[in-house]
Amino acid sequence: MVVEVKDLSIYYFTLNGVVRAVEKVSFNIEKGEWLTFVGESGSGKSTVAYGIINLVPSPGRITGGQVLFEGKDLTKLSPEELKEIRGKEISMVFQDPMTSLDPLRKVGDQIAEVMIEHGVDEKEALKRAKELLRSVNVPEDRIDYYPHQLSGGQRQRIIISMAMAFHPKLLIADEPTTALDVIVQDSIMDLLDALKEKGTSIFFITHDISLAVERSDRMGIMYAGKLVEIGKVDQIIENPHHPYTQALFASTPDLWVDKKISSIPGFPPDLRNPPPGCRFYPRCSVFQSKDELKKVCDVVEPQMVEVENSHFVACHLYR
Ligand SMILES: Nc1ncnc2c1ncn2[C@@H]1O[C@H](COP(=O)(O)OP(=O)(O)O)[C@@H](O)[C@H]1O
Ligand code: SF4
Ligand SMILES: [Mg+2]
């Protein structure tokens, strides 16, 4: 196991109230596996990603739980210790590559800098930077370009090349292809696959279920700050258990080719004041149709239970 996330909670302490963005989320990432989290916008996916590397932006803060990376709790490390791990053992790719690139410096220098920071000498680092560019199919002469002279796809490749500099144990990719067209998107996914082939675990985040299904080994579904279901991709796709997962799939045209598409009624809750018990109950058709669930779902928080080997669901239907 590379990462073990235990009961992770992350809140944003805003002037308008406390946003309970991630609440008691637990999961593992195994060595060399590709785990994808899906969920609607605002469900807490990015916050989980920031939480893993202990980089939650202000006014956010980890309020509980642990992130064990090879046995070390990353929530307890000093900024210096974290810096040593980030970029080398854990790399990150975000939706907008410009957030990770300095617009005023040549990309070659920026790739080399990642290595220099971790002790590689300058000449060697620049040589490696060229090799890395080639390995992500960016022409070597781009080493002297500034970020704005490159396309969005090339910029994202450059971020991935930085991640590849050290064969990280974990790569966190938060919607890395959302801003790119489909063909470029595919080539970026291929690069991530190549990293996985070399033993890197991938934690991938997307709101696009068809993208999640394509390459992942396992997938998790987030709703309103909670992880509601997690398992192998086949298990989840063929046999979704959580009413939210079922509703989400039923509202996804690509997955449900011959079935009727139906949108989920209502809206996700305001995370400053989430519903008690199961956060999905106000929208759950199962809850509304079964009397025995009344006074349970809207009061008691459902815990994760294993419904089949390595397939977990948090819903009172499966107690
Ligand atoms: N900097 C912030 N300040 C206040 N609330 C935030 C901040 N970032 C995210 N949130 C809130 O946290 C929740 C989860 O957001 P996020 O993790 O970005 O979700 P996702 O990545 O699934 O779209 C949302 O309710 C969002 O409004
Ligand atoms: S716990 Fe109850 S309200 Fe929540 S998804 Fe399950 S049945 Fe629906
Ligand atoms: Mg996000």
Side-chain angles (χ1 to χ4, degrees):
M1 197 186 313
V2 173
V3 175
E4 190 177 2
V5 176
K6 283 187 183 173
D7 284 331
L8 185 66
S9 295
I10 302 169
Y11 296 175
Y12 292 97
F13 295 85
T14 75
L15 292 175
N16 296 317
V18 179
V19 181
R20 292 159 62 181
V22 170
E23 193 100 66
K24 292 196 193 127
V25 165
S26 301
F27 61 98
N28 302 330
I29 306 174
E30 303 297 332
K31 184 171 166 24
E33 82 160 339
W34 182 316
L35 172 67
T36 298
F37 269 21
V38 295
E40 290 164 286
S41 174
S43 56
K45 306 180 299 295
S46 294
T47 304
V48 168
Y50 286 122
I52 290 181
I53 46 172
N54 200 348
L55 255 191
V56 179
S58 174
R61 205 166 70 225
I62 295 175
T63 54
Q66 294 181 313
V67 178
L68 300 175
F69 175 68
E70 303 194 305
K72 282 179 290 222
D73 184 357
L74 299 187
T75 68
K76 299 279 182 323
L77 296 190
S78 69
E80 292 73 33
E81 289 170 309
L82 282 167
K83 213 172 155 206
E84 200 45 46
I85 290 176
R86 274 189 227 123
K88 190 171 178 190
E89 298 190 61
I90 303 179
S91 291
M92 296 149 276
V93 184
F94 297 110
Q95 178 175 337
D96 178 4
M98 285 310 275
T99 56
S100 316
L101 288 169
D102 180 344
L104 301 177
R105 292 177 52 227
K106 293 178 183 171
V107 295
D109 293 347
Q110 299 191 52
I111 301 172
E113 188 187 74
V114 180
M115 288 176 272
I116 293 165
E117 264 180 16
H118 291 286
V120 177
D121 81 65
E122 202 176 319
K123 208 166 138 225
E124 173 67 20
L126 276 168
K127 183 170 150 254
R128 283 274 288 143
K130 278 193 191 161
E131 290 166 12
L132 284 166
L133 277 183
R134 245 183 286 131
S135 71
V136 294
N137 299 320
V138 174
E140 222 179 273
D141 64 349
R142 301 298 191 276
I143 200 159
D144 289 321
Y145 282 44
Y146 291 90
H148 71 89
Q149 295 174 295
L150 302 167
S151 67
Q154 281 182 332
R155 289 198 283 257
Q156 203 58 295
R157 282 161 197 279
I158 282 164
I159 300 292
I160 294 172
S161 78
M162 290 173 173
M164 290 166 106
F166 290 104
H167 303 295
K169 300 202 170 96
L170 174 67
L171 180 89
I172 299 174
D174 186 0
E175 311 242 14
T177 64
T178 301
L180 305 173
D181 67 56
V182 177
I183 293 167
V184 181
Q185 179 171 312
D186 241 18
S187 67
I188 298 287
M189 297 295 273
D190 287 343
L191 287 177
L192 299 184
D193 245 348
L195 260 170
K196 183 190 144 173
E197 286 307 309
K198 290 192 181 136
T200 296
S201 306
I202 311 283
F203 181 51
F204 188 79
I205 289 175
T206 180
H207 61 271
D208 178 347
I209 296 168
S210 43
L211 202 59
V213 170
E214 216 177 292
R215 318 252 176 166
S216 324
D217 301 305
R218 283 191 303 141
M219 65 193 279
I221 290 92
M222 284 202 72
Y223 179 75
K226 301 285 296 182
L227 181 64
V228 297
E229 182 157 8
I230 186 167
K232 297 192 187 110
V233 170
D234 296 351
Q235 294 174 326
I236 305 264
I237 294 299
E238 283 159 25
N239 204 2
H241 274 55
H242 197 283
Y244 174 68
T245 313
Q246 292 167 353
L248 183 70
F249 288 180
S251 67
T252 306
D254 289 1
L255 283 179
W256 242 240
V257 193
D258 9 282
K259 299 197 184 152
K260 205 168 131 267
I261 308 297
S262 52
S263 63
I264 308 172
F267 298 97
D270 182 344
L271 294 182
R272 289 173 302 181
N273 189 19
C278 172
R279 288 186 176 185
F280 188 55
Y281 92 80
R283 303 173 78 186
C284 180
S285 56
V286 181
F287 166 71
Q288 278 140 23
S289 68
K290 285 196 193 305
D291 280 341
E292 66 268 28
L293 292 174
K294 298 269 149 64
K295 298 270 169 267
V296 181
C297 300
D298 52 351
V299 179
V300 185
E301 204 176 306
Q303 303 299 315
M304 276 283 185
V305 292
E306 193 166 18
V307 288
E308 59 182 318
N309 185 26
S310 73
H311 181 181
F312 296 83
V313 183
C315 167
H316 289 302
L317 282 173
Y318 308 104
R319 282 182 302 170

